[in-house]
Amino acid sequence: MERFNQVLQQGQAFFLKHPRWSALGLGAMAATGFPPLGLWPLTLLALAGLIALLRAANRRRDAAWIGYFFGWAHLTLANNWIATAFTFQSEMPPQLGWLAVPLLCLYLAVYPALAAFGTHSLARGARPLAYGAMFAGFWIITEWLRSWVFTGYPWPPLGLSLLGDWNTQGFAGLLPWLGTYALSGLAVLIAAGFLFVICNRKWVFGALLVGLMTFVMVLDFVIAFGPLLDGTRYTLVQPMIPQEERDSADKYEEHFARLYEHTFDESDPERLVFWPEAAVPDYLRDGYPQRYYNSTTIAADPEFARQRIGATIGSNALLMLGVTDLKIGTKNGRETAVGAYNAVTTIDGEGNLGERYAKAHLVPYGEYLALRWLLEPLGA
């Protein structure tokens, strides 16, 4: 135990001597809680380290810079998937994606900096739990602001790191009850609890905290999956189609065969079926100029496309799938698509379309081109 305490003291001395570099490391460490790694205990430890750095800051400006460096590293690593999208932009070099992500996060890191600045302004000198509670509140506010200011970029909310990886439950059961913002605040509060344990050597309190977290995770499982075990049947299909094959016309039938393989059930039970975004290339709604139906190369007749999907799910099932719907207008005297919607719609076993929801909050530069007048001439 004495050796352990010495290591803690040495680590604390290093962190406090180099707060900004330490914040960078802690921010990257915090991002490992998101899939596919799902190392959410490291996220909590990183947040505990961040709170320690902020409490030790002399000035509000110093605290803001610590929050900024933490946020930049955290969000850059957590958003690394964006860079992959540039691989599929025909007129833009893939290397640009690895530059775009850190540049975007230079702006996104402003919000953790504001949370740190506000916390240090009101709670400087407070004990770890009180300081952490104040930081949790400011984090919730700034994460909410990040979701809508300048059209918003909410990804990824800190609380999603508590959901674990694909094989562990984490705190997923709390998400429908708390929402993402409160779950983010909970992550900061738990981290403050661990900081209290480390600073005060309250190991019994630490054991109780771990036990409480374990209890909540078990309770989460019962809350989240109990109703499903009571009789609701569903089929969730993810055919794992590589991105580079999604728009390959010669692969469309193979992709549909994958969906069929994982969906069709001879017993035809009553169930919900979920297919992913852009699951089928066909335009399923009537009324478009025929050339758009011909362009899919699978089903030039939308009615045939719907009936084929209905036969795949069975007469007693209801399917929710992602589709592309067109907005038809007139240009140069000719009916043409003047817009498109990324939508989710229902379809029954007879091939009848039901309600539709079109995505309303689009991703800047991912789903629409902001500053088009400047960036389109550059190849965007």
Side-chain angles (χ1 to χ4, degrees), residues 22-100:
S22 299
L24 280 174
L26 291 172
M29 179 177 168
T32 62
F34 297 107
L37 297 179
L39 302 176
W40 55 270
L42 292 184
T43 299
L44 297 178
L45 291 177
L47 289 171
L50 173 63
I51 296 171
L53 287 176
L54 293 175
R55 290 184 67 241
N58 294 322
R59 298 172 296 179
R60 292 176 296 180
R61 183 176 65 182
D62 297 331
W65 276 113
I66 290 171
Y68 186 86
F69 277 77
F70 176 92
W72 182 83
H74 171 71
L75 293 167
T76 297
L77 184 57
N79 284 295
N80 72 85
W81 55 272
I82 299 175
T84 308
F86 285 81
T87 306
F88 305 98
Q89 296 283 343
S90 59
E91 297 184 21
M92 302 180 73
Q95 296 81 1
L96 186 59
W98 299 107
L99 178 63

Side-chain angles (χ1 to χ4, degrees), residues 16 47 107 153 226 247 278 288 290:
L16 297 180
L47 289 171
Y107 157 68
Y153 188 93
D247 297 322
Y288 301 155
Q290 186 60 39

